[in-house]
DNA sequence: CGGTTTTGACCGGCGC
DNA sequence: GCGCCGGTCAAAACCG
């Protein structure tokens, strides 16, 4: 900030110098000085951003400390309860865990579980406080190491979900010995007891295969012919962990049979295979964005007209967050929405333009939902510019390898996106962040000043956007700096977010797999493919992907 | 033989 | 209350 102030002072001086000049020479000089002023102004702005970045780092460190402290406390509580009465403890966990989980980051000061607060109340609380979303997400990852009841709450951050649902799921603390059926039914009971919005994330992908391989392992448990669509809708349940509540629906688009609509619901409570992490993170981020938006607006947007859209363009990455209350519209009000009273759904439209349809290269990451009228309440447009495809890639293949990729290891849980040892990971991270946040260094690409301003404004002024963006970044960044224990504890929501968003250290971008070129018609979920990995200063291009896994056997898991 | 898929039945929510 | 519809269950079939 000092630098920024200093620069500002210089600017003022320059302005004063210009004023006196009256003749032609003075005019030229003034013109020159005017340019100089602009330059200085830009520098000052960069300095501010740099300072902001620094503060965010500090804030993140603080949050991480609080987070770890709370995690330890939580572990102690769980252990004590388990000792006192195994059966009762389980029962209580079903009630307490959500609270415990939600305690973490944003409410770092509270170290004791609020047992007097029921889940619903907590949810209402989260409706009010955006940080609740992020908190739960983050804390859940830390619970991963536990086997048994506490394990169920882990890794929620990596899955598509909303905080409310996560709360519900968090309350599903079950003894390990209970059978799956019982657990699922109890889950339903819990959800019924807590009638809250269940965020869904719908992903539209142009895909030839029956289902999109998102890296997760699914078991089909039903199929229905939905009204208005001749194509049957298939219901899948995550089978990576027997207690995982995550479900997805797969259905062909009625308008275009080539488009596959996959709707995710729920939160994974287990470590995810790397191949599944990106999709899970993406959907999680989308869900978080959806929820953060809805939490402020209270109601879902009902139409594109009159619906406000909060968005930011980070060098080709567009975030669209529609929100009724926040009438900020930073970029491209591209939204068509429909009300969604029961199931707020966010649609990630990966079908647009430049992508290779057959191989499912997701060059465009457009969260727009013109074709999901029933549930769509929020549109996120991650559409990248043609020249700047989204840097993230997720892959489909290697689904069956999840067990070895992400062992149920205490030291490697959550959506720890391990990238082996790519030497340029940090560069990638920084590049990405430079894309997200105006950096102190001159942009490699000429980014319109108003774009930077808009992005900055979006980050700093819109809580909903902050929350959503934080979640998105969290999901992308995954678990770094905490020993691979899952998500970093971004504090999301509220005014704190803009300060706490800090990307430092390694940048565990996921990716993983063989490109779709060799994947034939397998529809992989992992292709936010980006162009040649050569451009050193463009993060999107920088994101090269690990290719550790053999071609997928996708059909085994989700067809 | 264990896991997955299929598919008809069942259930709950919602609108009328 | 009834019917529609989405979603889930669960037994049987299927598969490696």
């Amino acid at each position: 900030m000092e630098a920024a102030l200093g620069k500002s002072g210089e600017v003022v001086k320059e302005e004063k110098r210009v004023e006196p000049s009256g003749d032609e020479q003075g005019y030229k000089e003034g013109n020159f000085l005017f340019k100089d002023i602009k330059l200085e102004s830009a520098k000052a702005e960069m300095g501010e951003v740099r300072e902001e970045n620094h503060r965010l780092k500090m804030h993140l460190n603080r949050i991480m400390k609080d987070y770890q402290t709370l995690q330890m406390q939580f572990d102690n509580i769980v252990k004590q309860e388990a000792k006192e009465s195994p059966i009762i403890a389980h029962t209580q966990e079903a009630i307490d865990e959500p609270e415990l989980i939600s305690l973490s980051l944003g409410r770092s000061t509270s170290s004791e579980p609020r047992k007097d607060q029921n889940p619903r109340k907590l949810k209402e609380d989260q409706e009010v406080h955006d940080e609740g979303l992020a908190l739960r997400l983050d804390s859940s990852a830390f619970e991963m190491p536990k086997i048994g009841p506490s394990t169920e709450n882990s890794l929620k951050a990596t899955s598509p979900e909303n905080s409310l649902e996560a709360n519900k799921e968090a309350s599903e603390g079950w003894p390990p010995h209970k059978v799956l059926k019982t657990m699922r039914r109890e889950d339903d009971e819990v959800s019924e007891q807590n009638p809250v919005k269940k965020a869904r994330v719908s992903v539209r992908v142009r895909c030839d295969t029956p289902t999109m391989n998102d890296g997760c392992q699914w078991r089909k448990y039903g199929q229905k012919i939905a009204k208005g669509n001749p194509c049957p809708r298939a219901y899948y349940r995550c089978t990576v962990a027997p207690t995982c509540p995550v479900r997805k629906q797969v259905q062909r688009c009625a308008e275009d049979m080539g488009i596959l609509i996959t709707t995710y619901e729920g939160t994974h409570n287990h470590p995810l295979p790397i191949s599944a992490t990106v999709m899970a993170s993406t959907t999680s981020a989308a869900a978080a964005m959806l929820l953060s938006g809805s939490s402020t607006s209270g109601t879902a947007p009902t139409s594109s007209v009159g619906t406000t859209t909060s968005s930011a363009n980070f060098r080709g990455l567009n975030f669209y967050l529609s929100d009724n209350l926040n009438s900020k519209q930073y970029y491209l009000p591209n939204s068509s929405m429909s009300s969604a009273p029961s199931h707020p759904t966010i649609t990630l439209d990966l079908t647009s333009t430049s992508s290779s349809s057959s191989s499912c290269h997701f060059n465009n990451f457009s969260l727009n939902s013109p074709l999901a009228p029933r549930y769509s309440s929020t549109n996120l447009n991650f559409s990248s510019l043609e020249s700047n495809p989204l840097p993230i890639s997720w892959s489909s293949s290697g689904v069956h390898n999840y067990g070895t990729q992400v062992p149920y290891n205490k030291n490697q849980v959550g959506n720890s996106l391990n990238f082996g040892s790519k030497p340029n990971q940090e560069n990638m991270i920084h590049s990405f962040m430079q894309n997200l946040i105006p950096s102190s260094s001159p942009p490699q690409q000429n980014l319109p000043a108003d774009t930077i301003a808009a992005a900055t404004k979006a980050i700093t002024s819109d809580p909903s956007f902050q929350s959503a963006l934080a979640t998105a970044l969290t999901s992308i960044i995954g678990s770094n700096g905490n020993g691979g224990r899952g998500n970093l504890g971004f504090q999301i929501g509220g005014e704190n977010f803009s300060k706490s968003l800090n990307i430092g250290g390694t940048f565990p971008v996921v990716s993983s797999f063989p490109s779709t070129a060799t994947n034939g018609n397998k529809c992989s979920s992992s292709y936010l493919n980006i162009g040649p990995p050569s451009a050193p200063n463009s993060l999107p291009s920088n994101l090269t992907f690990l290719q550790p896994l053999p071609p997928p056997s996708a059909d085994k898991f989700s067809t």
Side-chain angles (χ1 to χ4, degrees):
Chain A
M1 199 53 77
E2 297 175 1
L5 292 175
K7 298 291 183 181
S8 299
E10 291 180 12
V11 172
V12 173
K13 290 179 180 177
E14 294 290 331
E15 289 173 349
K16 288 182 178 177
R17 258 189 286 166
V18 172
E19 289 176 357
S21 60
D23 56 10
E24 184 177 353
Q25 184 176 357
Y27 173 77
K28 289 181 180 178
E29 184 180 0
N31 194 25
F32 174 78
L33 290 175
F34 179 73
K35 291 180 180 178
D36 205 28
I37 290 171
K38 289 180 67 177
L39 181 63
E40 292 298 325
S41 177
K43 287 182 180 178
E45 193 173 346
M46 291 175 184
E48 288 183 40
V49 174
R50 185 184 297 174
E51 180 64 21
E52 179 74 7
N53 191 28
H54 181 67
R55 277 190 282 112
L56 293 176
K57 278 185 182 179
M58 303 277 287
H59 200 81
L60 178 61
N61 290 334
R62 218 181 313 135
I63 291 170
M64 286 303 301
K65 288 180 180 179
D66 293 341
Y67 191 5
Q68 291 174 357
T69 300
L70 289 171
Q71 176 62 28
M72 291 178 62
Q73 292 172 349
F74 173 73
D75 290 340
N76 291 336
I77 292 170
V78 171
K79 289 177 182 178
Q80 288 179 358
E81 288 184 353
K83 287 180 179 179
E84 290 175 357
S85 175
I87 298 174
I88 295 174
H90 292 315
T91 304
Q92 286 182 337
E93 278 180 73
I95 300 172
D96 295 343
E97 284 186 2
E99 298 162 1
L100 293 172
I101 291 172
S102 64
L103 282 177
S104 12
L105 283 181
R107 296 159 190 164
S108 56
T109 55
S110 63
S111 59
E112 295 180 2
R114 296 171 294 173
K115 294 183 178 181
D116 58 335
Q117 190 176 24
N118 60 38
R120 176 185 287 243
K121 197 172 182 179
L122 183 70
K123 288 166 185 172
E124 291 174 354
D125 193 26
Q126 289 180 338
E127 292 276 356
V128 177
H129 304 288
D130 289 342
E131 65 268 24
L133 171 65
L135 294 176
R136 188 202 48 67
L137 289 172
D138 295 336
S139 62
S140 60
F142 277 72
E143 298 166 1
M144 210 42 226
K146 298 266 181 172
I147 296 174
S150 61
T151 304
E152 321 231 352
N153 297 321
S154 57
L155 272 192
K156 297 189 187 305
T158 62
S159 62
E161 62 164 336
N162 60 59
S163 63
L164 300 181
E165 170 152 350
N167 258 345
K168 178 205 74 177
E169 290 161 359
S171 66
E172 299 168 0
W174 288 104
H177 60 274
K178 286 204 172 186
V179 296
L180 176 62
K181 292 178 183 178
T182 303
M183 300 175 90
R184 282 171 181 163
R185 287 180 179 176
E186 292 291 341
D187 292 349
D188 294 340
E189 291 178 3
V190 173
S191 63
E192 291 174 3
Q193 293 171 1
N194 303 283
V196 295
K197 293 183 294 182
K198 295 179 72 175
R200 291 178 175 176
V201 177
S202 181
V203 179
R204 287 166 44 82
V205 170
R206 191 166 289 281
C207 181
D208 295 336
T209 53
T211 185
M212 179 176 67
N213 189 341
D214 47 24
C216 220
Q217 189 174 355
W218 303 94
R219 179 180 181 273
K220 189 177 183 178
Y221 67 89
Q223 181 170 307
K224 269 281 190 185
I225 297 291
K227 188 180 182 181
N229 192 336
C231 300
R233 175 184 300 165
Y235 300 90
Y236 294 89
R237 189 175 279 145
C238 178
T239 59
V240 174
T243 62
C244 182
V246 175
R247 290 167 188 178
K248 76 171 182 179
Q249 301 174 4
V250 178
Q251 189 174 31
R252 290 271 165 206
C253 179
E255 290 86 349
D256 186 351
M257 296 298 185
I259 295 175
L260 195 68
I261 301 172
T262 304
T263 303
Y264 296 89
E265 177 182 321
T267 303
H268 293 283
N269 58 5
H270 53 82
L272 286 172
I274 294 176
S275 58
T277 306
V278 173
M279 175 58 92
S281 298
T282 301
T283 54
S284 176
M289 189 175 288
L290 169 63
L291 290 175
S292 64
S294 63
S295 64
T296 55
S297 64
T299 57
T302 55
S303 69
S304 60
V305 177
T307 298
T308 62
T309 299
S310 300
S311 67
N313 185 325
F314 299 114
R315 200 183 284 181
L317 177 62
N318 292 334
F319 287 82
Y320 279 61
L321 177 62
S322 297
D323 189 307
N324 279 340
L325 293 182
N326 297 330
S327 59
K328 303 161 194 153
Q329 181 170 331
Y330 302 107
Y331 278 96
L332 303 178
N334 173 19
S335 61
S336 62
M337 305 176 195
S338 60
S339 64
S342 60
H343 290 286
T345 300
I346 188 167
T347 299
L348 316 184
D349 191 344
L350 308 181
T351 62
S352 51
T353 62
S354 63
S355 62
S356 168
S357 62
S358 61
S359 60
C360 299
H361 277 261
F362 302 153
N363 288 338
N364 273 339
F365 198 110
S366 170
L367 295 93
N368 202 353
S369 63
L371 298 180
R374 177 178 178 83
Y375 294 118
S376 176
S377 61
T378 300
N379 286 346
L380 295 177
N381 191 335
F382 286 175
S383 300
S384 60
L385 300 177
E386 290 291 327
S387 60
N388 281 317
L390 193 72
I392 304 166
S393 167
W394 65 73
S395 165
S396 60
S397 37
V399 175
H400 53 289
N401 288 335
Y402 69 92
T404 56
Q405 295 174 27
V406 182
Y408 289 70
N409 189 319
K410 186 173 183 176
N411 293 327
Q412 184 178 355
V413 297
N415 59 344
S416 57
L417 310 181
N418 293 326
F419 279 79
S421 60
K422 283 279 182 181
N424 58 345
Q425 285 180 22
E426 291 193 13
N427 290 336
M428 290 160 55
I429 298 167
H430 291 306
S431 295
F432 186 55
M433 286 314 297
Q434 288 172 0
N435 284 317
L436 294 177
I437 300 173
S439 64
S440 57
S441 61
Q444 297 301 326
Q445 299 175 0
N446 291 332
L447 193 64
D450 57 344
T451 300
I452 297 175
T456 304
K457 184 178 181 181
I459 294 172
T460 57
S461 61
D462 187 345
S464 298
F465 177 80
Q466 293 165 6
S467 176
L469 177 60
T471 306
L473 292 175
T474 303
S475 63
I476 293 170
I477 293 163
S479 64
N480 61 43
N482 62 351
R485 293 192 67 194
N487 285 342
L488 284 179
F490 280 174
Q491 181 167 351
I492 302 175
E495 56 183 337
N496 284 336
F497 165 65
S498 60
K499 314 294 184 184
S500 63
L501 178 60
N502 173 18
I503 314 309
T506 59
F507 195 75
V509 178
V510 171
S511 80
S512 2
F513 308 66
S515 80
T516 50
T518 60
N519 201 16
N521 61 352
K522 281 290 179 255
C523 190
S524 179
S525 61
S526 62
Y527 306 117
L528 295 173
N529 206 5
I530 33 202
S534 57
N537 293 320
S538 171
L539 173 71
S541 301
N542 250 352
L543 292 180
T544 57
F545 306 112
L546 303 179
Q547 309 290 324
L549 297 177
S553 56
D555 1 47
K556 178 180 178 181
F557 296 103
S558 4
T559 54

